[in-house]
Amino acid sequence: MIAGIPIGFAAPWVLAALVGLPLLWLILRAIPPAPIRRRFPGVVLLLGLSDEDTVTDRTPWWLLLLRSLALAAVIVGLAGPLLNPQTRTASDAPLLIVLDAGWASAPDWRARQEMVTALLEEAAREGRLAAVQRLSAPDPLRPLQFAPADAVQSRLAGVLPMAWRADTEMTAAFAQALGEEMFDTVWLSDGLASDGRAALLEALQARGSVRVVETGLGTVALMPPSYAEGRLTLRARRSVAGIDQEVTVQAIGSDPGGAERVLATVPLRFEQGAQSAENALVLPSELRARLTRFEVAGLRSAGAVALSDDRLRRREVALIAGREDREGLQLLSPLHYLRQALVPTADVIEGALMDILPANPDVIVLADVAVLSEGESAAVLAWLEGGGVLLRFAGPALAASEVSRTTEDPLLPVRLRAGGRSVGGAMSWGEPKALAPFPQDSPFFGLTVPEDVTVTAQVMAQPDPTLADRVIASLSDGTPLVTRKAVGDGQVVLMHVTANAQWSGLPLSGLFVQMLDRLAVLSAAGQGSGPEAAAQLAGTTWQPVKVLDGFGRLQDAQTLPGVAGERLATGNVGPQMPPGLYQTADKALALPVVDEDTALTPARWPASVPVEGLRGAVTTDLSGYFLAGALCLLALDVLASLWVSGRLWSTRVVALAGAAVLSMMLMSPELQAQSSLPTPEARAPQQAPAKAGNSREVVLGHIRTGNSAVDDIAQAGLRGLSNVLYFRTSIEPAAPESVDLETDELAFYPLLYWPITPDQPSPSREAYAKLNAYLRSGGMILFDTRDADVAGFGASSPTGRKLQRLAAGLDIPALEPLPQDHVLTRTFYLLQDFPGRYMSRDVWVEAAPPDAEQVEGMPFRNLNDGVTPVVIGGNDWAAAWAVDRRGNTLFPVGRGRAGERQRELAYRFGVNLIMHVLTGNYKSDQVHVPALLDRLGQ
């Protein structure tokens, strides 16, 4: 602290040179020496004359002050002045920066990134190694590795928060990967307590000092909404019970045109000292059906988002019985148990069938309705084909009718035998039959069959070749209990027993409700969590459709695997089961980030651990400012010296000044292009003139990934390929360039090489629009996952999964493995293998049109003149092509002469690529057939 200003110095001993400034003042005052006065009579002849060049007898004081200030600025600049220096104990141990990196860290993630950047810059100044690790995404197979702080800082762009918090297993895996090396730790906490934190803190303290950085402001999370009695109940919870606080929850869904809009808002107010807030929202069923999610306005976090699912969309179920209920005998009514099961979770409609159909219900239940009129059958059949579910129950009327005896009725899944079967009947049982366990392909698989559920009567299905495929539940003797068939987009299901307890004890059991739920008759999909929800979801597999990222944005689930219903019911979100929307064939279930069992407890740290605020003062190096000021003062000194001597406006000085200004104007674009630290705002206009020259010559480009090592290899690889093109073809490419998708124009590059890294950021919407326009206008992108040594093409590696996420926003046509007669095999060289640093045939290109047939006598199919917009592989071609500026290869390929042959084939594949993108499929023209046949030996 100097004069109340927080300033320190990296090399304070340099300031000792300031003591010499007074001595310099005296020396400058003594030079030049004072003139000696002598009387000379001839001086009279010089009276009246003036001398154009005058020299002062002493240096003016203000000029001495200017020079002293310039020298002082140089001395202070070399001393390394720092604004807001951190007064901590000096250490040369490596620095580990630990990030909780869960959804609770997302709202202030930018501030956390700035804090990490400042810590890494400080470590770089001190020459310390560093590492950045996320607790929410540990890699148990990869031990902790430290690297130069500058290299770690270049990879920060891919470090993002996850949609879950680190659990005990993740924390333990991170602690095991720490190793035995000593290091200091800075822990950027999200401020929430969690299991395993104490053990990890102890492990970190055993390896060096630990300090914690957190905001202390608390976290707000939105609970899953619930629906009851026509009202949506919204609840929020906060970790710190402070003063009054109000948040606004937005109900977001699609309008009639399909555009996403805020359909309603509701305020939630936290009273002073309260940790939870609640409010109700009443919406018409039409709006409620269009809801997709709820989110806290202005809070970018997955914890502030709650997704909508079938639990909020009450299905409309129509109940129709074969006879009227008899007053006073409700328990014998065919619809009584159905009403009890449906009313809590569905909108029940009752009435005549033809009056109900115009309402287009989701499900129609026919309880012992045997015969429908021709008009009713046609109307129900049309409704079924549109996606409805027809659930039919048997009964005395259906057993006695002739429906579906000789020919299968369109509204029944199977043909039926006359009379049915019962205990003591014609086809008698000796005793009631129990239910058999549900088969694996049944929608009821996983449900527990109670021992007290027995069947005393049923309608029997006629043997038929398709019967086995339509049975989804049976009795212990193998006779069908439930059958089903698809009709258009809908389905018809027959329960071979009654809807009441007349023929079985099934309607009296909880299994009855669970079976209705599996048939998508109920609206609730796995209400709540715990044993009951696990029992409801047991035996089912749920496929993720949309998942949340750490900032609460919905993204496509891509190729994430399905999740077992029992595991989904636990609600434990993580890398293998991210929060989002999961679906079965006909139901949707939202897996929330937080639920009623999630505890939001502030973290408590031991007294021995220092805790700092997140938004502290950032250390700024002022050396550049002082040295720049010294240069300005020296420039002023030159001008002042010329003015004092009377030469400021002389012809020579004006000419030299003009030449200097002109040279600076001519050099400024080149200097700007070569600047190593341009700002994003300044970079775009500076690069535009340089990129404009690319339209006059062929330039290869590679997409910048943010990983400096990968980008350098891509640059060196394209340099090597450009050299080969120059010496072997008529193409004379210019030096390759790196391409920023956000700012650079893509039309100048016929080919873009895109190496894939697991942590590279996804392009913005504007960048995706530029990429799609580039692909549609004839450009080509070579995607290289660089993983052919460990995985085939697909999602079996981190880079493969990243490629699928990156390509989701691109207009990529259907692909196929590169066929043997593709034009890429002969555009310049005749090739059948396309190796890079690795050897794999898994190279994918645009699929040929269906009408591309091979004409007799032709060695290849007749294709159009288009160019495949993408080529995808993982052979790490850039590493095989890479050379330094003297032409020496940078990476080994294969072994011995076979390796050099593999590198040569890699170069030839690159030449074929460039020739293909520049000339199209010209080698498919018939004029080339004789030459190609001759070279192929045919």
Side-chain angles (χ1 to χ4, degrees), residues 184 221 366 410 471 633 699 731 818 825 852 872:
D184 297 331
L366 299 181
V471 175
L633 291 175
V699 180
I731 303 173
L818 198 151
T825 63
I872 301 177

Side-chain angles (χ1 to χ4, degrees), residues 243-431:
I243 61 175
D244 289 349
Q245 182 182 3
E246 182 174 300
V247 297
T248 300
V249 177
Q250 297 175 335
I252 300 175
S254 56
D255 62 11
E260 191 174 80
R261 296 187 182 278
V262 177
L263 302 181
T265 59
V266 57
L268 298 183
R269 184 173 184 82
F270 294 94
E271 300 294 339
Q272 183 173 359
Q275 285 190 282
S276 62
E278 179 177 317
N279 206 344
L281 177 64
V282 179
L283 290 176
S285 58
E286 294 81 2
L287 282 180
R288 197 171 63 248
R290 296 206 300 264
L291 288 174
T292 57
R293 69 183 186 277
F294 300 87
E295 61 181 39
V296 179
L299 195 60
R300 290 184 27 180
S301 168
V305 176
L307 300 178
S308 175
D309 58 12
D310 286 347
R311 288 174 287 195
L312 303 185
R313 303 184 184 97
R314 291 171 64 93
R315 299 171 70 87
E316 291 185 346
V317 181
L319 300 181
I320 300 172
R323 58 185 173 85
E324 297 294 333
D325 297 338
R326 290 176 291 170
E327 185 177 355
L329 298 176
Q330 290 296 321
L331 294 180
L332 298 180
S333 168
L335 302 179
H336 172 73
Y337 297 102
L338 286 169
R339 290 193 190 97
Q340 296 300 313
L342 295 173
V343 166
T345 59
D347 294 330
V348 176
I349 307 173
E350 297 189 49
L353 179 59
M354 297 306 291
D355 295 337
I356 289 174
L357 280 174
N360 193 27
D362 299 294
V363 182
I364 294 179
V365 180
L366 299 181
D368 197 20
V369 176
V371 180
L372 296 177
S373 67
E374 184 177 347
E376 288 176 331
S377 296
V380 172
L381 189 59
W383 168 83
L384 257 181
E385 292 175 344
V389 177
L390 177 62
L391 176 60
R392 303 191 68 166
F393 285 87
L398 184 62
S401 70
E402 295 297 322
V403 175
S404 200
R405 292 288 187 260
T406 58
T407 59
E408 182 180 303
D409 189 280
L411 299 180
L412 282 171
V414 294
R415 291 190 302 123
L416 302 176
R417 289 183 178 182
R421 182 169 71 159
S422 62
V423 176
M427 293 183 290
S428 63
W429 289 324
E431 59 183 8

